Amino acid sequence: MAELCDLQVHVNSHHTFFVNEDIISKFSGKLRRIIKQEKRRIQIRNSGIEIVDFPGGPYGFELASRFCYNRGRITITVSNVSLLHCSALFLGMTQKNGASPNLFEKTQDFLQSMFYWSWNDVITCLKSCESFFSYAESSPSDLIQKLMNSLSAKIAQNSDVNLITSSYSSSSSPDTPASGITRSNSNSSKKTWWFNDLTILPPQIIESLVKTLGGYGSDNNSLVLTRFLLHYLKSSPVKKTQKKSSSSGDGYFGNIADTAVHGVIWMGKSSFSCRGLLSVLRVVSGFGLSRECRFGLERLIGGALDEATLDDLLVSSSCGVGGVVYDVNLVVRLIRVFVHENTSNKEVVKMKKVGRLVDKYLGEIAPDHNLKIAKFLGVAESLPDFARDCFDGVYRAIDTYLQSHPTLSVDERSRICRCLNYEKLSLEACKDLARSPRIPPRIAVQALASQHPLIITNLPPTETDFDQNYYYETTPTFSPLISNSIHKEVVYKRVNSYLEEGEEEDKNEEDTKLNLQRMQWRVVELERECREMKGKMSRIVKNNTTDPPRVSYNYRGLPRLC
């Protein structure tokens, strides 16, 4: 046995093969030269020879050894022809070696019939090149390029796609049977039947295919190719296995994602809706997208943000950065793009539509315990003031945020309320704000103060008001309900004094709360008086529609309805 296995061959520093020196060197010119260059044969027998970067690793060397031990006989299939071909090139098992038959010629003869292979045969052969793709791609025989041309020719022959140009397609026989194509889904579109079949290929082979099709990088202007790349990034099972084992395919996936985004940007809104663009962003965001492509895609989405829905904006935060559920920074960037491109007065309708959408988004992200105040304010303050007719939605989101963050200090609670426009709060929202124990007292007083023109409007004065020493200004107006009657538009002035009092007593929180309770009581009282006066006026209109109401005057000379 020692005479038969007199040589150790260490392949890629992982496996050691014990072979017969005469048999191996007879078919391999490279091994014969290595053995002759060794002057100390004893050292060869003791330590053997080292082979690094062997294509296919130990399995490739094993197949080549079987060819040698079987005296040039081996079964060649579409699954092993690529590996045998590259092994023959690496070991110098060619015609120049002198041995007959040689492995290189056998594999060459098998590859000559490539254009008559079936669709599945070509894919199987390409898949087998995954472990030694770099060597196969750079080999003098252009093995990968030939396989790519064969693949693209079959796509072109069985699709109405005009994006494929191949120098080898003209050499293929016009009688190439279409039955060689095994479609994975008979109900698929003629343009997309091949999408699922190619998802089993590794990213480096897909990148090579895109280069063959002439649509790599910024040269991609094909909708079909773009949709295929997006489908591959979304559905490829290779993505999961490579991320678990190593990051070797990350660069290839990133290049594929960039190529897909270039195609999306080139076609723009004519082929993709806002929802479709956001779906594209979700697919490509995990593949190391370049900064240029991300900026171009976000700019495209931001320009169509008025077409988005709440579900579209709920993009999960990548890798759970900061523990935040949704990618708030992305939404802020999109809103800024939209505001920048829609600042003219003609786009007010779009701006208000986005304002309502942002308010819904604020309500959705407010319960997130890990959401910082700065990010919440970043979303709330990203729109101009005229984008909202009412700030009730913002207030509800703030109230939800405060409920989810009960440990916030008074200063932090006051800070988050700065995005509110108190004058655009409805009276109901303002009353709820004033009653809420989560809102700082000073904020509640400011909100009520901003509402003082709305607290009393078109109400006549009562004796109670004068008894409580409140000051009013009156301006005559004509009522649309009762002809020749005079109404007094009353403006409540006492609120400012409460504000001054609140500022002076800010150091004493109990006094501020007492002052706030007085304001709340006054609002309730005024609402009751409003209901009473409306009922009195409706009875006057019903009983006497022709005669004007009698007017009497109080001791200050102000008119009062009798």
Side-chain angles (χ1 to χ4, degrees), residues 9-17 47 49-54 57-58 61:
V9 180
H10 307 287
V11 179
N12 295 354
S13 303
H14 292 297
H15 289 75
T16 300
F17 289 86
S47 60
I49 59 177
E50 184 78 23
I51 299 179
V52 296
D53 298 329
F54 192 90
F61 186 82

